[in-house]
Amino acid sequence: MSANTTPPLSRPIEIGRLPRGRAEVTVEASPEECAALARDFGIPAVRDLVGRFVLSGTSTRLTVTGTVEAVATQVCTVTLEPFESAVREPVDVVFSDAPPPDDEPEDGPPEGAPEPPDPIVNGRVDLGALTGEFLALGLDPYPRKPGVTFEPVASGPESGPFEALRRLRDEGA
C-alpha cells in the first residue's frame, strides 16, 4: 500500500487530544469496511471486527495495547470449502515521533532485536489501520476447516514424486 492510500479501515486519532496518561478507544468496523478488508486479504468475508485499545504515554511516545477480534470466513486448504473461525489477536505496539535510526538495515532489525516504534505521523496514529493489520496477523495462512486433516495419497510402499522415473529407468536397463 502506498503512503498516499487510505486503508479500508481508517480511524486516525489525534494524540494531542487524548486525555493525559491513559485513554480507551474502541474501533468497530462497518459492514462495508469489513467487506473491503476481506477483498484486500483475499478471503470470502470478515464480520464483527472490533479493536479494543488502551493508549498510554505521551504525545511523543505512545503505547497501544489491547485486542482485535473478528469472525473471518476463510477457505479450507484441504477441502476448498469456506468456513468461519474466530480471530483474537493481542496488540502491543509502541508509536514514536522520533525519526527512525539511519543505521537500520533495509530488511529490518536483526533477529532478536526489539522492534523499532511505529511512526506518529502529523501528531496522529491510525487505530483503524492498526485494527486491520492485527486482523491480518491473526488469520491462518493455511486455514483448515475444524476436524479436517490432510491425508497424503499413497499408492504403494515406493510411491513418491520420482516413482515413475524410477520405473522408466528400471525398464530400460
Side-chain angles (χ1 to χ4, degrees), residues 85-107:
S85 61
V87 176
R88 180 177 169 84
E89 192 68 18
V91 175
D92 189 355
V93 179
V94 174
F95 290 88
S96 173
D97 68 353
D102 290 334
D103 59 348
E104 183 167 312
E106 283 186 27
D107 56 350

